[in-house]
Amino acid sequence: MEYFLQQLINGLSLGAIYGLIAIGYTMVYGIIGMINFAHGEIYMIGAFVAMITYLAVGALGITWVPLALLLMLAASMMFTSVYGWTVERIAYRPLRSSPRLAPLISAIGMSIFLQNYVQLVQGARSKPLQPILPGNLTLLDGAVSVSYVRLATIVITLLLMYGFTMLISRTALGRAQRACEQDKTMAGLLGVNVDRVISLTFVLGAALAAVAGMMVMLIYGVIDFYIGFLAGVKAFTAAVLGGIGSLPGAMLGGVVIGLIEAFWAGYIGSEWKDVATFTILVLVLIFRPTGLLGRPEIEKV
Amino acid sequence: MLTVSGVHTFYGAIEALKGVDIEIGEGEIVSLIGANGAGKSTLLMTICGNPRARAGRIIFDGEDITHLPTHQLVRRGIAQSPEGRRIFPRMSVLENLQMGAIASPPKGFDRDLEEVFTLFPRLKERINQRAGTMSGGEQQMLAIGRALMSQPRLLLLDEPSLGLAPLVVKQIFQAIKDINRERKMTVFMVEQNAYHALKLAHRGYVMVTGRVTMSGTGAELLSNPEVRAAYLEGGH
Ligand SMILES: Nc1ncnc2c1ncn2[C@@H]1O[C@H](COP(=O)(O)OP(=O)(O)OP(=O)(O)O)[C@@H](O)[C@H]1O
Ligand SMILES: [Mg+2]
């Protein structure tokens, strides 16, 4: 029972991270029908910016942890937003009316470029860090111990997802975003600046990925230029599993994959956990091709 | 109010508009009729800059809007209910109407919404329904209502009667007449239903394969033998 709870928390925090990244994939897919292959790299950059900010904050003599964390969060969200915006401008917008293969290739190019760029300026070796948020919450007389970082990851993710869902479902901006997803020409006729909404979608996705990057850095205490690849693949899988284009789907997909990984690693061993993940994906897609929460097309248009 | 002069529009190598001239005066209802593929929808969309005219000029209220970005036109006072309705199927009726007002100042919203509901009470009954699940006629009302939400001075309507039962067609045309008369809204309308369209309109144009071939008052065109033969025979 205690062991189960332990794995549950591990799985949920991991799933939260995948979910945060998956939202970026699913929103970009929703609006331009493209997989943004550079998105995993944006997440990786978010982790690096958080780390650099942490070191800078330390050098400045700021030792109060909440302030340090807040600064890290703000800096990584800001920088990745700029990266996300730039990626769209450079790799996607010029190719918007080209055949679909062209932006796909430029996206992969962008991904390789960003990886190499970080490798070049930050070095290829992993960056270990002192634990910033040490300590555990112990439950059930010490049988279950949950690190504060993992708890914080879950709580912050829940808050972000709530805020984000409100933004998309309740505000004029969110409506404009959904309108562009459904019919860009019509949205334009009604006065929506479609290019700006697309940019904004990249920026929002990047900012959420930055949070994921920062939390991973805090949990594992070590990052390198290559972490974006596997996390990107997993988060993309989460988006497909949940139903690509669906926001709640991305969150659910992330949690499902996080839980599978944690329980597989906890009960069976960590060797085959990625295989398990992808097997589940294949099974779900066989029985529900649109993903768990993907919408079947029933509207008459 | 709107002057289209010498406009050419292309889809790739296909020339859909081959030098179109049209003039629409303030407060008028102007109908454009023509066979399938004549370029009527292309003209309405070209006025809104999507696709953009490759040659010629479009002047609205003295301003050259030929090269204005599409999303700025609604702020100038032009709204369109386009071909195929293009409502947002996964949004509610209310959200669709909110989209119609997205470029307008929020303070007039409630008043504009009430006006649309007065015109189309059915929309009020369906306010929270997903637009994609509404009937064709309801969707048409929504598309027109959405265009009205920006309080345009020029309303562009592409086949407002398409696929609707005769009773609903009558309703829609009555609504257009009311909008024009009571709110002094200028209407430029494309219609297959030539009889109704010309009867309602102050003036009309006939378009054939990318060119305007005839123009006149609604009554003149209705009694013109060529128009009758091409667009009215077989009754209405
Ligand atoms: N997106 C497009 N790409 C290529 N050709 C197009 C496109 N849209 C329209 N056309 C062509 O341009 C011409 C004019 O089309 P348009 O839709 O303006 O006709 P229309 O007068 O509105 O016809 P209808 O009465 O059938 O609606 C047609 O020959 C059509 O095939
Ligand atoms: Mg047409």
Side-chain angles (χ1 to χ4, degrees), chain A residues 157-295:
Chain A
T157 304
L158 283 176
L159 290 177
L160 275 176
M161 300 226 164
Y162 176 76
F164 199 67
T165 308
M166 287 297 130
L167 176 77
I168 296 296
S169 63
R170 297 288 158 81
T171 66
L173 194 73
R175 265 197 302 281
Q177 210 275 342
R178 284 180 289 137
C180 288
E181 259 181 39
Q182 296 176 36
D183 189 340
K184 286 190 221 7
T185 302
M186 190 64 228
L189 287 178
L190 294 173
V192 176
N193 185 341
V194 177
D195 281 338
R196 187 176 313 152
V197 171
I198 292 175
S199 285
L200 190 81
T201 303
F202 276 78
V203 164
L204 287 173
L208 291 180
V211 179
M214 167 172 156
M215 296 326 279
V216 157
M217 192 207 62
L218 291 177
I219 292 176
Y220 298 104
V222 51
I223 54 174
D224 61 50
F225 72 95
Y226 204 60
I227 58 169
F229 176 71
L230 196 57
V233 171
K234 296 273 181 61
F236 171 59
T237 308
V240 174
L241 182 67
I244 190 108
S246 155
L247 269 186
M251 303 175 196
L252 180 67
V255 170
V256 169
I257 289 186
L259 288 175
I260 295 172
E261 282 196 7
F263 282 110
W264 193 278
Y267 286 96
I268 295 165
S270 55
E271 291 84 35
W272 295 91
K273 70 176 191 323
D274 293 344
V275 177
T277 305
F278 292 113
T279 309
I280 301 276
L281 173 74
V282 169
L283 286 179
V284 168
L285 290 184
I286 287 173
F287 293 107
R288 273 190 73 90
T290 52
L292 294 172
L293 300 182
R295 51 168 184 273

Side-chain angles (χ1 to χ4, degrees), chain A residues 44 48 114-125 225:
Chain A
M44 177 267 293
F48 269 91
L114 288 174
Q115 252 182 44
N116 285 298
Y117 157 71
V118 172
Q119 183 182 7
L120 206 67
V121 297
Q122 292 292 323
R125 265 179 297 154
F225 72 95

